[in-house]
Amino acid sequence: MSDQRDWFTWTPTVATEAACRFYSQHARDMQYAASAPLIFEQYEMLLGRIGSTFSRVAPDGDPEKLFPEFYAQARYMKETVEELTPVSAEFGVTRSVENFLVYVSDVISEVLIACPHLLKSQEQVTLEDVLQHGTIAEFVSWAAEKRVAQLSFQGLDDIAQYVTKRLGLNLHQDEDDWASLKKGVQLRNLIVHRRSRVDERFIRLTGEKGLVKGSAYPTTMPDYVRTARSAMKIVSEFDARVARKFPVEQRSTVDEGWYSEGRWGPDGRKAEPGPNIPSV
């Protein structure tokens, strides 16, 4: 039987602290990205009901003639939402990638703190680096975050190799998920470092045909959903493997505000009611 879960929204019933923080951030980012279209939709629905109510008494049966400012505002809101959609998509892609990278450094820190023997390494740090942290836990978190940040400039494959070497686990299981996340990372780097202007590196890494150097890459909401969905799936599967192999603490998630069984849609709305899913 195929897996029917919507990985864009589905979260497990137990997870590590690192994963819980990841899911919480994902939920906030998802609702933020969807907020403007949802607000406009609610305004449009309200305007439609007002128009239906007053159409009988409106001149020529046209309620806009009674409330021209309301309809003008609706057109302005629609134009604004459409204009800002690419910005929301860029925000979503960027936040999804950064949220994933923070999760990786956080979960590595949790494992190293739980299993200090894994700290043995050939990596060089200065005495000053060690002494500026009050506890070994703080030092481990700093070192993991620093290393993952350095590797992120080289690519996800370098991060995956580091995780395999450090924890003895593969970071991902499905090549399609990995390819989607890698595309998201490449797009995030273009957004952050080039203001979305296509360069030769992006053309080479993505292999996309028709891209013109110097042109603005048209980031879309599907780009965001694809990136976030792959990150969510990879984190969920990897986090479960980490918990099985190492004595890291897990906690129940079913009472968290962000907990979901997959009932959120990509537009940020609930497909069906659920007691643990916050309203948009």
Side-chain angles (χ1 to χ4, degrees):
M1 182 176 178
S2 61
D3 192 335
Q4 299 299 313
R5 284 175 287 192
D6 179 2
W7 289 100
F8 183 71
T9 59
W10 184 89
T11 52
T13 56
V14 293
T16 65
E17 288 293 332
C20 286
R21 290 190 291 272
F22 169 84
Y23 293 128
S24 178
Q25 185 64 58
H26 170 73
R28 290 195 296 271
D29 294 343
M30 179 175 62
Q31 292 183 49
Y32 178 83
S35 59
L38 289 176
I39 291 171
F40 169 70
E41 182 179 291
Q42 292 300 312
Y43 185 86
E44 194 173 40
M45 288 175 58
L46 176 61
L47 190 58
R49 291 171 182 170
I50 292 175
S52 178
T53 300
F54 287 93
S55 60
R56 294 181 181 180
V57 298
D60 302 323
D62 184 1
E64 184 172 353
K65 293 182 178 180
L66 281 179
F67 311 106
E69 67 278 12
F70 292 170
Y71 285 84
Q73 181 66 22
R75 287 190 292 271
Y76 173 75
M77 290 177 65
K78 183 178 181 180
E79 292 172 359
T80 301
V81 168
E82 291 175 349
E83 182 179 347
L84 293 180
T85 293
V87 179
S88 295
E90 290 181 352
F91 166 86
V93 169
T94 301
R95 295 287 284 186
S96 295
V97 170
E98 292 174 351
N99 194 24
F100 175 80
L101 295 176
V102 172
Y103 163 77
V104 173
S105 64
D106 283 353
V107 78
I108 290 174
S109 297
E110 289 185 22
V111 171
L112 295 181
I113 292 170
C115 305
H117 65 279
L118 295 177
L119 281 169
K120 296 178 180 179
S121 172
Q122 298 300 316
E123 296 176 23
Q124 299 295 316
V125 294
T126 67
L127 181 59
E128 182 181 1
D129 289 335
V130 177
L131 294 179
Q132 68 180 346
H133 298 92
T135 66
I136 187 64
E138 291 178 1
F139 170 73
V140 168
S141 296
W142 170 83
E145 181 180 355
K146 180 173 180 288
R147 186 57 176 151
V148 171
Q150 291 172 338
L151 291 169
S152 68
F153 290 103
Q154 301 176 40
L156 276 188
D157 288 333
D158 295 283
I159 294 176
Q161 291 174 11
Y162 175 75
V163 170
T164 300
K165 179 181 178 180
R166 178 66 72 181
L167 305 186
L169 291 172
N170 291 329
L171 187 53
H172 69 283
Q173 295 179 306
D174 186 284
E175 289 300 327
D176 289 338
D177 298 331
W178 194 239
S180 293
L181 187 57
K182 287 173 70 173
K183 171 65 180 297
V185 171
Q186 293 154 5
L187 184 50
R188 176 263 181 193
N189 291 341
L190 192 71
I191 293 167
V192 172
H193 300 296
R194 303 286 298 176
R195 296 198 185 98
S196 296
R197 295 291 171 180
V198 174
D199 57 14
E200 292 182 359
R201 175 181 172 82
F202 185 77
I203 295 174
R204 174 171 52 82
L205 290 175
T206 62
E208 287 192 34
K209 298 180 180 179
L211 293 178
V212 178
K213 182 180 177 181
S215 64
Y217 187 88
T219 305
T220 64
M221 291 305 287
D223 288 324
Y224 160 47
V225 173
R226 182 186 62 249
T227 302
R229 179 178 282 125
S230 59
M232 287 281 285
K233 185 179 179 184
I234 291 170
V235 167
S236 178
E237 294 175 340
F238 180 72
D239 202 65
R241 297 200 304 277
V242 167
R244 285 195 297 268
K245 182 173 181 179
F246 302 105
V248 293
E249 184 176 342
Q250 288 184 294
R251 62 183 174 89
S252 173
T253 65
V254 295
D255 294 322
E256 299 291 334
W258 47 260
Y259 174 73
S260 168
E261 295 176 353
R263 292 182 288 243
W264 285 103
D267 59 358
R269 293 177 294 183
K270 289 181 288 188
E272 62 182 66
N276 296 315
I277 302 179
S279 298
V280 175

